[in-house]
Amino acid sequence: MKDAIDALSALAQETRLSLYRLLVRTGPKGLPAGEIASQLDANPSTMSRHLAQMERAGLVCSWRVQRQVFYAIDWKGTEALLAFLTEDCCKADPDVWCEKQSNSCREMISRG
């Protein structure tokens, strides 16, 4: 539970949530820290703190290429968070998730 709270806390801030979404779109090749700051129109030193918090929360990983530090989504951490959030999903009715996962909430409600 502590890991999930850390991850959710990291995502509960506008810049970090935007950072996460940017890295999801970027894929495994990642982006250098300076490019992330530039794309999100953020101060590089502030972005460095955001990136560090996201990495501590297990949502991003980093590696160095010469003098640049690249960041990408840590899919293991993301999978762990999603598994935690959905582990009790639909225990009362296991068919709900499987049958209706592509339907909107409104469609599910109308079907009762």
Side-chain angles (χ1 to χ4, degrees):
M1 186 167 299
K2 183 191 178 319
D3 291 340
I5 291 169
D6 290 344
L8 291 169
S9 294
L11 291 170
Q13 196 276 343
E14 186 176 348
T15 301
R16 289 190 298 270
L17 184 56
S18 295
L19 156 68
Y20 184 84
R21 291 173 55 90
L22 171 65
L23 291 178
V24 164
R25 289 189 305 271
T26 301
K29 67 181 179 179
L31 287 172
E35 178 66 22
I36 294 168
S38 176
Q39 285 197 35
L40 296 179
D41 196 28
N43 178 297
S45 63
T46 302
M47 183 54 63
S48 178
R49 289 192 301 272
H50 288 309
L51 287 161
Q53 183 172 355
M54 295 290 284
E55 192 162 18
R56 282 192 305 274
L59 296 172
V60 301
C61 56
S62 66
W63 66 95
R64 185 173 289 280
V65 176
Q66 296 174 356
R67 296 180 65 195
Q68 289 186 315
V69 179
F70 282 73
Y71 291 86
I73 291 298
D74 183 332
W75 289 110
K76 279 183 117 175
T78 296
E79 288 173 9
L81 176 60
L82 293 174
F84 174 81
L85 291 173
T86 59
E87 72 184 348
D88 293 326
C89 181
C90 307
K91 284 194 175 181
D93 185 357
D95 294 329
V96 170
W97 179 256
C98 295
E99 289 180 9
K100 299 179 182 178
Q101 63 183 331
S102 63
N103 294 332
S104 70
C105 290
R106 189 167 292 149
E107 289 172 322
M108 290 193 302
I109 291 169
S110 70
R111 289 182 185 173

